[in-house]
C-alpha cells in the first residue's frame, strides 16, 4: 500500500487562460497569470493498494459516479505510467470550495490530486514537473503548485508547458480578493466546453489572442512596480475580453447573470467614489474583486448593502501546494 495526502489552494487568473491549442495534452493558446488564494482549497488522499480491482473516488465523502471516477482514473493512469505501477487507488477528496461553480475547484482539485498521487508513488517531482502533471488534469491546476503569483507559460509541448512563480517581492501580501458568490450551483457550461466552443466558433477569438501578450506584459510590470491600479486595470480588461468572446460564439452564451452585472456596476461605482478596486470573472456568474488590503473593509461594506454576508468571502494570497503526508506499508 502506498498513500499520499496533499493540500492545494485555488487560484484566480488575472490574465485568463481561454482556449487550447492541444486538447489532449492541455496546451493552451495563450500564457496566463494568476494569484493563489488562501480561502478555498482541496485536500486529497490517494491510497494505491493491491486489494483493489478498480479505482474509487470519493468527493466530500460521497462515492462518485462512473463518469467522475473515469476522469480521476485517466489522470491516475498518467501517474501510474510515470511510476511504472499498475495498482488501483482509492481517492478521497474534500473540496473547501464549491465544486464546478466558477470558483476554481478544478484548479485546487487537480493540483491536490497530482500532489497526493505523485507523493504516494514516490515520484519526487520538481515544481515544474508537478505543474506539468497537474496541467494534464486541468489547465488552471498547473498554477496552483505555487503560492502568490504564477505564470503558466504555454510552451509548445508537454515538456515545455508549465507554470512558474512570478517574482513579486511580497506584493501579493498587500492584496485582497473579495468573492461575491451570486450562485454556487454547478454551472451549465464547464470551462472546458465553453473555451472549446469559443475557439472553434467565436468571431472575437482572434481579437482575444492578439492582445494577451501585451496584457501579460502590463500585469508583470505592474507586479514588479507594485502598481495596484495598473494591475487592476489589466485584470479587469482581460476578464472583459475573455467574456466578450463567448457572446460571439455559435451558439452564443454568457456566464454573466443579472447579479454579476450588479456586482460589476458596484465595483465601478466604488472606484468612481475614489477607492481603487477591479473585478474579474471566470466560467460562472460569481464576481471576484481585487482590492488593496488596506481598503478591503470599505469595499466589503459597500457590497454588503446589496449582498448577504454569506455571499461575500474575503481571500488573501495563499501558499504553495503542501504534501501533508506519505506512507509506504
Ligand atoms: P470550477 O469552476 O469549479 O473549476 P470546472 O467546471 O472548471 O469548475 O471544473 C469542475 C470539475 O473539476 C469537476 O466536475 C470535477 O471533474 C473536477 N474536480 C473538482 N474538484 C475535484 C477534486 N477535489 N478532485 C478531482 N476532481 C475535481
Ligand atoms: C476561465 O482550467 O478549468 O477559469 O483546462 O479544460 O480543465 P481545463 O479548464 P480550466 O479553465 C479555467 C478557465 C478560467 C480562466 C483561468 O483560470 O485562467
Amino acid at each position: 500500500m502506498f498513500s499520499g495526502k496533499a493540500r492545494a489552494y485555488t487560484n484566480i487568473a488575472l490574465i485568463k487562460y481561454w482556449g487550447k491549442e492541444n486538447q489532449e495534452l492541455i496546451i493552451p493558446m495563450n500564457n496566463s497569470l494568476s494569484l493563489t488564494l488562501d480561502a478555498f482549497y482541496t485536500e486529497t488522499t490517494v491510497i494505491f493498494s493491491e486489494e483493489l480491482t478498480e479505482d474509487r473516488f470519493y468527493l466530500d465523502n460521497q462515492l462518485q459516479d462512473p463518469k467522475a471516477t473515469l476522469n480521476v482514473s485517466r489522470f491516475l493512469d498518467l501517474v501510474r505510467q510515470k511510476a511504472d505501477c499498475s495498482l488501483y487507488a482509492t481517492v478521497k477528496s474534500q473540496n473547501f470550495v464549491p465544486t464546478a461553480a466558477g470558483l476554481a475547484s478544478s484548479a485546487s482539485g487537480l493540483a491536490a490530486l497530482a500532489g497526493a498521487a505523485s507523493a504516494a508513488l514516490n515520484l519526487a517531482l520538481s515544481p515544474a514537473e508537478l505543474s506539468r502533471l497537474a496541467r494534464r488534469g486541468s489547465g488552471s491546476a498547473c498554477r496552483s503548485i505555487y503560492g502568490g503569483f504564477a505564470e503558466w507559460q504555454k510552451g509548445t509541448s508537454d515538456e515545455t508547458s508549465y507554470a512558474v512563480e512570478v517574482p513579486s517581492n511580497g506584493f501579493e501580501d498587500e492584496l485582497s480578493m473579495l468573492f461575491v458568490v451570486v450562485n454556487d450551483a454547478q454551472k451549465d457550461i464547464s470551462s472546458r466546453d465553453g473555451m472549446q466552443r469559443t475557439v472553434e466558433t467565436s468571431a472575437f477569438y482572434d481579437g482575444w489572442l492578439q492582445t494577451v501578450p501585451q496584457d501579460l506584459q502590463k500585469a508583470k510590470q505592474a507586479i514588479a512596480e507594485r502598481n495596484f491600479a495598473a494591475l487592476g486595470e489589466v485584470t479587469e480588461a482581460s476578464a472583459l475580453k475573455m467574456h466578450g468572446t463567448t457572446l460571439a460564439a455559435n451558439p452564443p452564451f454568457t456566464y454573466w447573470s443579472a447579479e454579476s452585472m450588479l456586482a460589476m456596476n458596484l465595483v465601478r461605482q466604488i472606484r468612481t467614489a475614489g477607492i481603487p478596486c477591479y473585478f474579474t470573472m471566470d466560467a460562472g456568474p460569481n464576481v471576484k474583486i481585487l482590492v488593496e488590503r488596506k481598503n478591503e473593509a470599505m469595499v466589503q461594506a459597500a457590497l454588503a448593502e446589496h449582498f448577504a454576508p454569506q455571499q461575500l468571502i474575503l481571500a488573501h494570497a495563499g501558499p504553495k501546494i503542501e504534501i501533508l503526508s506519505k506512507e509506504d506499508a
Side-chain angles (χ1 to χ4, degrees):
M1 195 199 80
F2 303 93
S3 75
K5 181 173 184 183
R7 182 191 299 134
Y9 293 80
T10 56
N11 71 78
I12 293 297
L14 307 184
I15 304 297
K16 302 294 182 194
Y17 146 51
W18 196 240
K20 295 180 183 65
E21 204 171 272
N22 183 316
Q23 311 281 345
E24 197 214 324
L25 295 174
I26 311 198
I27 312 287
M29 295 286 260
N30 61 270
N31 288 23
S32 52
L33 185 147
S34 62
L35 181 61
T36 296
L37 296 167
D38 62 356
F40 296 124
Y41 58 96
T42 300
E43 286 181 2
T44 299
T45 304
V46 181
I47 306 163
F48 291 93
S49 159
E50 290 85 357
E51 277 156 33
L52 295 169
T53 52
E54 58 183 5
D55 292 321
R56 273 192 243 145
F57 174 38
Y58 295 84
L59 181 56
D60 298 333
N61 301 318
Q62 302 274 344
L63 183 64
Q64 298 295 293
D65 64 20
K67 190 168 166 252
T69 307
L70 186 63
N71 282 339
V72 167
S73 280
R74 288 209 178 110
F75 184 79
L76 290 178
D77 286 343
L78 299 170
V79 186
R80 284 188 275 251
Q81 208 177 358
K82 272 186 201 296
D84 200 13
C85 163
S86 57
L87 299 178
Y88 291 108
T90 300
V91 175
K92 290 184 186 160
S93 187
Q94 208 71 39
N95 274 347
F96 296 87
V97 50
T99 302
L103 293 170
S105 72
S106 57
S108 58
L110 272 299
L113 182 62
S118 58
L121 295 183
N122 299 308
L123 280 175
L125 302 178
S126 67
E129 287 166 333
L130 187 55
S131 176
R132 279 177 53 206
L133 176 63
R135 189 200 81 230
R136 299 290 301 273
S138 181
S140 53
C142 80
R143 301 182 306 234
S144 274
I145 304 307
Y146 306 94
F149 295 108
E151 179 186 354
W152 179 6
Q153 303 185 329
K154 70 183 238 42
T156 52
S157 62
D158 178 39
E159 290 73 28
T160 55
S161 187
Y162 53 85
V164 297
E165 250 171 338
V166 174
S168 60
N169 243 324
F171 178 47
E172 66 273 20
D173 296 329
E174 295 174 18
L175 307 178
S176 306
M177 196 172 268
L178 180 64
F179 284 68
V180 186
V181 182
V182 306
N183 184 346
D184 65 3
Q186 299 217 355
K187 55 209 182 195
D188 301 333
I189 305 176
S190 68
S191 347
R192 190 158 295 186
D193 294 347
M195 69 174 80
Q196 187 178 358
R197 188 191 300 177
T198 308
V199 171
E200 286 170 2
T201 65
S202 176
F204 296 168
Y205 192 73
D206 282 346
W208 157 258
L209 272 189
Q210 272 167 30
T211 58
V212 176
Q214 264 123 286
D215 286 351
L216 186 74
Q217 194 43 43
K218 279 186 203 164
K220 289 206 279 192
Q221 194 174 336
I223 291 168
E225 294 171 355
R226 308 175 96 80
N227 183 338
F228 177 72
L231 183 62
E233 274 166 29
V234 74
T235 294
E236 202 172 283
S238 177
L240 286 170
K241 279 185 265 189
M242 178 207 122
H243 286 272
T245 65
T246 71
L247 298 177
N250 185 13
F253 65 104
T254 181
Y255 291 109
W256 296 10
S257 70
E259 283 181 299
S260 321
M261 303 273 291
L262 170 65
M264 290 190 275
N265 283 332
L266 288 170
V267 169
R268 291 194 189 96
Q269 281 170 24
I270 299 166
R271 200 156 69 213
T272 307
I275 303 168
C277 58
Y278 300 85
F279 61 77
T280 186
M281 284 181 66
D282 294 288
N286 303 313
V287 175
K288 296 108 191 181
I289 304 174
L290 187 65
V291 58
E292 284 161 292
R293 210 168 171 136
K294 63 183 182 198
N295 290 328
E296 67 179 30
M298 276 193 284
V299 172
Q300 188 162 14
L303 268 291
E305 287 178 26
H306 301 266
F307 294 95
Q310 68 272 18
Q311 290 182 280
L312 300 175
I313 302 169
L314 200 52
H316 300 111
K320 65 180 181 184
I321 189 169
E322 294 161 48
I323 304 301
L324 300 172
S325 65
K326 69 165 261 63
E327 208 180 304
D328 300 351

